[in-house]
Amino acid sequence: MSARCQVLGTVPGFGHSISHSHVRTKRRFNPNIQKKRYWVPSLGRTVTLRVSAKGIKTIDRDGIDVVVARILARGEKV
């Protein structure tokens, strides 16, 4: 499974770990992905989404119906 938020589309960032001796090694900054179940009244069923912590806040602010409509408009399966 990829580390991608279904709501915001957040993907991992890449950079370097820098040691005390200033040696740089590649590293990956993953988003805080959670698997959450939501009841969607417009669909009449529950949906399971892989969302980041910021995506959960977006759902709380905008509402699950609006967010699911955006996901379906993108052509993504819910």
Side-chain angles (χ1 to χ4, degrees), residues 1-73:
M1 270 190 250
S2 65
R4 183 180 175 277
C5 176
Q6 286 183 292
V7 175
L8 300 175
T10 309
V11 293
F14 296 91
H16 292 94
S17 288
I18 302 180
S19 67
H20 180 69
S21 64
H22 215 68
V23 173
R24 295 169 187 218
T25 55
K26 294 271 189 184
R27 66 159 292 181
R28 180 174 154 144
F29 297 90
N30 285 324
N32 184 8
I33 298 293
Q34 309 292 323
K35 203 172 195 181
K36 290 274 289 177
R37 288 179 67 206
Y38 289 98
W39 171 255
V40 184
S42 61
L43 298 179
R45 64 184 177 96
T46 59
V47 294
T48 303
L49 297 175
R50 288 176 47 82
V51 293
S52 62
K54 193 171 181 182
I56 292 171
K57 292 177 187 177
T58 302
I59 291 170
D60 290 343
R61 187 186 68 225
D62 297 343
I64 188 64
D65 284 324
V66 173
V67 172
V68 167
R70 283 186 209 146
I71 293 170
L72 293 174

